[in-house]
Every structure is written in C-alpha cells, then in structure tokens.
Amino acid sequence: MKTSAIVAGVGMTRFGKHMDTGLKALGAQGVEAAIKDAGIVAGDIEAAYVGNAAAGLITGQESIRGEVILRGMGIGRIPVINVENACASASTALNQACAMVTAGIYDVVLALGVEKLYDPDKKKTFGAFTGAVDVEMLQAIMEGLKQNAKAGGAESASSGAGEKRSMFMDIYAMMARAHMDQYGTTAEQFAGVSAKNSFHGSMNERAQFREAMTVEEVLAAPMIAEPLTRPMCSPIGDGAAAAILVSEAKARELGIDKPVRVVSSVLRSGWDHGPDEAGTVEVCAGEAYEEAGVGPEDIDVIECHDASAPAELVSYESLGLCAKGEGGRLIDEGATKLGGRIPVNTSGGLLRKGHPIGATGIAQAVELTEQLQGRSGERQVEGAKVALAQNGGGTIGTDAAAMCVTILSR
Amino acid sequence: MKTSAIVAGVGMTRFGKHMDTGLKALGAQGVEAAIKDAGIVAGDIEAAYVGNAAAGLITGQESIRGEVILRGMGIGRIPVINVENACASASTALNQACAMVTAGIYDVVLALGVEKLYDPDKKKTFGAFTGAVDVEMLQAIMEGLKQNAKAGGAESASSGAGEKRSMFMDIYAMMARAHMDQYGTTAEQFAGVSAKNSFHGSMNERAQFREAMTVEEVLAAPMIAEPLTRPMCSPIGDGAAAAILVSEAKARELGIDKPVRVVSSVLRSGWDHGPDEAGTVEVCAGEAYEEAGVGPEDIDVIECHDASAPAELVSYESLGLCAKGEGGRLIDEGATKLGGRIPVNTSGGLLRKGHPIGATGIAQAVELTEQLQGRSGERQVEGAKVALAQNGGGTIGTDAAAMCVTILSR
C-alpha cells in the first residue's frame, strides 16, 4: 500500500524486564513520549490503532486493551481499534494508521504497540507463544518438532519446548540448520549477527541488553536449540513504542520541514504458498520497493525481524541485499554493521534492543525515524534518506502468518 | 465516517451452542456463506478484517486468529487484520472494511465476526467477560457492585458475579433500576422487550432461541439480577457472521442493481465524559444521522444492542426514537414490534438470536442487509429502505468502551 502519512513524532520505553510496571503504564509512557515528540496535545489525536499480542493470556486484559491503556490521558472519545498479528501487531497498527491518514479520513492518528510479557508466573509467558500458531494443529506441530529433533540428533530440541523456551526457537534452529546444509553458512556467521547487534545495542540506552559481545562469547553462551546459543535468540521483554502519523496539511501546521514519510507499507499473510513460490518477505519487499520507487541498493538503513540470528541473515537475502545463500558473506564483510554498506538493526534489533512482541514493529519505526532525522547519536547512519523495516508475526504452514515491510523516506 | 461501501453479500451460521464445532469451522462457515451470497470466489478478496473478542482465553488462540480461520479457503496472501473491541469487535471489523473500500485502497474486503464461547470448562466462558473491563480496576468494580447490591437490597447481585453469570448483567440491572426510579419504567415493560424479540426470533431459523414467550412467561422465569429474569439477559453462544464489502466498480461488475450501501459507520470510545455530557450512543447516532443525511424518523428497521432488555429500551431514547424516559411507552404501543412504526431487532436481537460477542455486529448487518433487499420472509419490514445498527462493547468508566452506529440504505 502506497502511503503519504508523515511521522510527526515517535516515542518508546526502554525495553526489558519491568516487573513493577503494568500494561497500562507502559503503554501510557510510550504514547506520552510520542505526543511530546510530535509537539501535539493528546486531544489532537483523532483515532488510535493499538497493537498487542498477548495481554489476554498474560494480564487477563483480553478485550478493549487500547481503551484501557489510553483512558485518562486527555484523548477524546475517538475510535480505538485494537489490532493483533502476533509479533507483527505493531506494524499492523502502523499500517492501518498510515492507510487512514493517506485516505484523508483523519489528520492525526496514533499507532501504539505495547507488550507486557514478564509475569511472576513464567508459564503464562511461555504459554502466550503457543497462541501464535494454529492451536488446533499445535499437537501435530510439536510432534513434528520432536521427530525432526530425533532425526537431526539435536538433544536440546527435545527438551520441553514451550516450557523453557519458545517453540519458535526450534523452528528458527531448523531454519539455521537448513541454511548451513544448503549454503555452507556457519555457526560463526550466525554468531556474527548477534555480535554486531550487541555492538549496536551497546550504544542504545533503550536497549534491553547493553553488553557488547564478541563472536566467541556468543558461541560460548548456553545452547538453546542447536546451533542457537542464548544471544542468538531474542529475549522476553516488556515495553511500548508509539508513533503519531499526520497528513501533509497537519505536518505543515506543526511546522515540520523535511518530514519523514511512510511511503509504502505492505502487509500480507504468509499462508498457503508452494515451496517454489516466493516467501512472504520477498513478496512484501518486492511490492514495497515498487511502490516506493526504490530498490535494495537505495536503502540506507534497515531494521529487520531478527527474532533469531539466522532470521536476520536470511532476511538479507529475502530483502534483496544479496543473492540467496550469501547472507553469511555480508556478515563476514561487515556490510550490515554501522559504517558498512547497509547497516542493519542499528537499534540492537530484536536480539539486543529486545522484543516485547506487540511493540516491536513500531520500535523499528522509532529507530528508523530518528535515523532519518539525524538524531541517533553515536548510532547515526550518516546521511540516511531511505529506510526499511521488516516485521513478521506468528507462523502458519511454512511461513510467517503475517508479514509487513515498511519503507520510510525523508 | 461517511462510507460508500456496498454490501455485496452476507452470511452467518445459526447462533447457539455448537459444542462440536470449533472457532475455525464456525468462521469458515460464515465466510463461505458470504462469498456464495456475493457471487464472488475466495480469490477475489483483497483484505480481511476479522473480529473476535475471546478466543485467547477460551480456545488458547491468542494470536493470528484470522489467519488461522481463513487459511486453506482459497483466499490469496492478503492482509489479514485481527481487530478487537469486546462485543463491538465485529462492528469494528465492518467499520474498517468500509473505510478501506471507501478510500479506494481495495475493491473487495471481507469482514468477519466469529466467536466460540461454549467450552466444556464453563469457568473459561465466564472468565472471558471480565476481560472486557479494565482488569487492573476489576477488584474495585466488583467491590462497587457489592456495595450497590447491599444498598439496593437486591439479593441476587451479591451472589457470585462472574461465576454464574456475566458481571455485565449486574451493571444492566443497575441501569434498569435507575430507569425505573427516574421514569417509572416497569419490569413488565422490560419483559415486553424480551417478549417482542422472542416473537421475532421465533421466525428466524438462525436464532439461538425459537420459542415465543409472553410477558408473563418472561417475568416468571428465574431471576438473574433484579429486575432481570433470564430471558431479559442475552445468552452465551457460538457463531459467525460475515459480509463482503465492495466498491461501486466491483458492484457493477457483479451486476448488483439497487445495492445496499453502508452510508455511515461511526465508531467511538465511551470513556471519560462527564455525567452531563451526551452518552456515547447519542454521540455516535447523532454523527451517523448527520453523515447519512437522515433522522431517526427516516429509519425503517433497527438492530440494536439488546445485551439485556433494559439496554434495548434505553437505546430507543439514545437513538432518538422517543424522548428520554419514554422507552417504556414505545413497548406499550408496540411501536418497535414487526408491523409497528419502527421495528427493532427483527432478527430476535441479542436476546433471542443470540450474542456470540465478536460476531454480533456483523450479524446485525446480515439481518439489515436482507431486510433492505426484501428477503427476510415472514420477518420482512415492508418497503424498508434505511436501516440502523447499534453495537457496543466492553465497559469503562460509566459508559461502553467502544460504540458503533452504522446506517445502511438501499
């Protein structure tokens, strides 16, 4: 979808473990930061899209999540649309907000992504992940993972998936082993993704983890699912991220010059395509590039969905940064590191900034907006003019359930 | 929001207790019926909005509900947006689908509302309702209800709200008692709403309850929360309802003459208004009337949110069918019964057709579309040209969390 929505302001909480801060307070902090950044007042907001994936299972707030969070902030009796697409919930909120502004239905729309995953009862947290697959088929999926683990001889994959870790890491581990088998990609290269993102995250005060790690340290960390060690897996976290999207007219009124614009936002489902058809990242990226009138070579900075280290490496290929199978080479060359040809996940990514699932898509937009505005401090990609975010959610069949690719430009 | 979306087709399951049919199967039945009715194929659908309120808590399908339901039906890799607004989830889906068609972003959009409330574990079902208020404030709400029950001497309201019934019925009972105190409305008049809707429902093969009841029978039924007897409270139910919204161009292509159009759809939050400010139904209805260029006197048939009998009676006043306090008179006169001046809830309403919460808003649109197309059989309102639906969801502060008023015309 082509859009003309302008990002007037962004804001987010630090991602991490916020045991004493509830869903409402986290969400409110994100919204207040974005309102302040946009230079508007709460009463200017004409509609709100609120992305969250797991509050029903974690906090019991199954319904009207947005209304509960936004109440009492001075926002009018506006439409609040609660949207959900697993880890792509926030991108979905952003996508819809941009559509409404582009259509001229509203001039000022809030997009909020918020998630509270930590709970004193850890079973709740891990239980929430199983809600992002087809639960009627869950038994079959778990059985398949067990069989696969036995066949591959990977001990860790048979040890209580869904209890000590998200079953998604088993899926990512399979993806990693397949890439290693097919293209000769190495565990060192996957570790290189995590090391790079830890370097980026060490400069981001809103990142969950600030420690810079070497490839060796990443490899020496505890194994989660062969070949993924802990720093190759995104952590559990809490947090919120918000953006205020405005029309051209409102941007002028706010005195925004050189606005950051969401030029394209492509949301699609990953279901039901054959093994020979393009993956959903490719489909979304291809459409987004076309709508934005740019190619991979024009992108200055990327936030991609590194829920695991191999996921980032495979995204390089899916987004067209390199040919199939050459993702490892980009890591070896340092191309995606700050200072390289095309820096990826300057925020630290999901691996190090953190991944409060329903907040992630908008947190990507926060990082990219600030990059395009030249206010990323020591993480700044000099002269960044075009940026891309890729955010996927859930799994269904052999692909992500929901995928969103967004291109922003200044 | 003004809209130009045309309802090309509608479909729904029978509402009721479907112990052997899961969320996926129910949803698929609704979608297949709407696709058939529209004369399109599944591959024509360009985007889908899926409303559901409680699957996370009831079935464990916390995330990607729409993707799971719609998979394998021949629908392309389209954007699926899961939306939620408690009992107004389906109206929210319809509202968003209409916006997209009106904006010219898509020509064919599916809006689906689906809910599976019955579960072998009844605690799950009742637990889901507490998710439609601010759960961080739930303790205070329950305490308030207890105090109120003691003060009012209503024995039933202190007996385990949230276990044997939804706490919403306590709120509706308070609303009923306040109306009786202020305007002299009687329990017989509330019972009259239920009797009327049971008459309508007796003619609707998709209604959960087909038995016609007299006022005396309604009054003699078991007391749920004074003065509400069981038939004055909407039941627990499962079901799905779907609509295909298309652009003018697509409607012509499909050979639709005399199309039913959604001319206005107003969605708002009910939070944070003073006791002297208009309620959210009034605000939404006023805006919808203005956008549609009609008044209450122009409406031929209404589906309103009769989650309880007093809620329907109060809606008469909020929608402008009569002055404040005169809702009871409309029942006495039979004005809102089939054959009366302005028939309300010809489907049987939430009370008798049933109320699978996330499906209700689109089920209202199914009834009204068929009424405007003259295919409602013995329930037909002769010559109906303009119809209105009112659907609310959740509660926050002293009003509904989400409210939607939709006007359709032919």
Side-chain angles (χ1 to χ4, degrees), chain A residues 138-220:
Chain A
L138 191 57
Q139 201 58 41
I141 293 170
M142 296 310 292
E143 202 51 45
L145 286 173
K146 271 188 213 159
Q147 296 294 335
N148 192 291
K150 275 181 203 160
E155 282 177 18
S156 67
S158 58
S159 61
E163 289 166 25
K164 291 184 197 161
R165 63 169 183 273
S166 149
M167 60 182 294
F168 281 92
M169 290 309 148
D170 292 292
I171 296 170
Y172 283 122
M174 277 196 284
M175 176 207 270
R177 293 194 297 267
H179 208 270
M180 293 166 88
D181 288 350
Q182 194 169 357
Y183 301 113
T185 306
T186 63
E188 285 71 19
Q189 288 170 325
F190 295 134
V193 171
S194 299
K196 166 185 73 70
N197 291 354
S198 77
F199 168 64
H200 294 162
S202 73
M203 296 180 280
N204 185 356
E205 62 183 16
R206 296 177 300 207
Q208 184 159 358
F209 300 124
R210 304 291 308 274
E211 178 199 4
M213 298 182 81
T214 64
V215 169
E216 293 67 32
E217 286 167 337
V218 172
L219 288 169

Side-chain angles (χ1 to χ4, degrees), chain A residues 54-141:
Chain A
L57 293 183
I58 308 271
T59 73
Q61 192 69 58
E62 175 76 352
S63 295
I64 58 163
R65 297 170 193 180
E67 286 90 338
V68 165
I69 293 165
L70 299 177
R71 184 183 178 212
M73 297 185 67
I75 297 174
R77 290 155 79 175
I78 62 168
V80 175
I81 296 97
N82 297 293
V83 301
E84 196 283 330
N85 256 329
C87 300
S89 294
S91 287
T92 301
L94 189 71
N95 173 279
Q96 296 292 296
C98 289
M100 287 296 178
V101 168
T102 302
I105 295 174
Y106 305 112
D107 285 307
V108 185
V109 179
L110 166 69
L112 168 67
V114 56
E115 204 72 65
K116 175 78 198 149
L117 289 177
Y118 272 109
D119 190 272
D121 178 359
K122 286 188 181 176
K123 271 188 198 160
K124 279 191 188 177
T125 303
F126 284 100
F129 293 108
T130 62
V133 301
D134 181 339
V135 295
E136 290 183 22
M137 290 176 68
L138 191 57
Q139 201 58 41
I141 293 170

Side-chain angles (χ1 to χ4, degrees), chain B residues 78-307:
Chain B
I78 61 168
V80 175
I81 296 99
N82 297 293
V83 300
E84 196 282 329
N85 256 329
C87 301
S89 294
S91 287
T92 301
L94 190 70
N95 172 278
Q96 297 292 295
C98 289
M100 287 297 180
V101 169
T102 302
I105 295 173
Y106 305 112
D107 284 309
V108 185
V109 179
L110 166 68
L112 168 66
V114 57
E115 204 73 63
K116 175 79 197 150
L117 289 177
Y118 272 108
D119 190 272
D121 179 359
K122 285 187 183 176
K123 272 188 201 161
K124 279 192 187 177
T125 302
F126 283 100
F129 292 108
T130 62
V133 299
D134 180 339
V135 296
E136 290 184 20
M137 290 178 66
L138 192 56
Q139 200 59 40
I141 293 170
M142 296 311 291
E143 202 50 45
L145 286 172
K146 268 187 213 161
Q147 295 295 336
N148 191 293
K150 275 182 203 159
E155 283 175 19
S156 68
S158 58
S159 62
E163 289 168 23
K164 293 182 193 160
R165 63 168 182 272
S166 148
M167 59 180 296
F168 282 93
M169 290 309 148
D170 291 292
I171 295 170
Y172 282 123
M174 277 196 282
M175 174 206 272
R177 293 194 299 268
H179 208 271
M180 293 167 88
D181 287 348
Q182 194 170 358
Y183 301 114
T185 307
T186 63
E188 286 72 18
Q189 289 171 327
F190 295 136
V193 171
S194 299
K196 167 184 74 70
N197 290 356
S198 78
F199 168 64
H200 295 163
S202 73
M203 297 179 283
N204 185 357
E205 62 184 13
R206 295 177 302 206
Q208 185 159 354
F209 300 124
R210 303 291 307 275
E211 177 200 5
M213 297 182 82
T214 63
V215 168
E216 292 68 31
E217 286 167 339
V218 172
L219 288 169
M223 187 64 71
I224 298 295
E226 183 79 29
L228 308 182
T229 64
R230 182 164 294 146
M232 297 189 213
C233 304
S234 57
I236 302 288
D238 306 329
I244 306 286
L245 287 309
V246 303
S247 63
E248 191 84 43
K250 185 70 186 182
R252 273 197 302 272
E253 191 189 312
L254 292 170
I256 299 173
D257 61 332
K258 293 199 187 174
V260 170
R261 208 179 295 267
V262 177
V263 289
S264 179
S265 174
V266 178
L267 174 68
R268 289 194 170 273
S269 303
W271 59 32
D272 290 330
H273 59 88
D276 298 333
E277 288 181 78
T280 303
V281 179
E282 282 92 327
V283 172
C284 292
E287 196 171 325
Y289 286 137
E290 192 181 327
E291 286 177 351
V294 299
E297 65 284 0
D298 300 310
I299 308 294
D300 299 309
V301 56
I302 288 173
E303 291 280 305
C304 82
H305 196 79
D306 60 328

Side-chain angles (χ1 to χ4, degrees), chain B residues 21-67:
Chain B
T21 314
L23 188 76
K24 282 163 65 173
L26 282 170
Q29 285 171 29
V31 172
E32 277 160 10
I35 285 174
K36 190 178 168 197
D37 191 47
I40 63 168
V41 295
D44 292 336
I45 297 170
E46 296 171 309
Y49 288 81
V50 178
N52 171 273
L57 293 184
I58 307 271
T59 71
Q61 192 70 57
E62 176 75 351
S63 294
I64 58 164
R65 298 171 192 178
E67 286 89 338

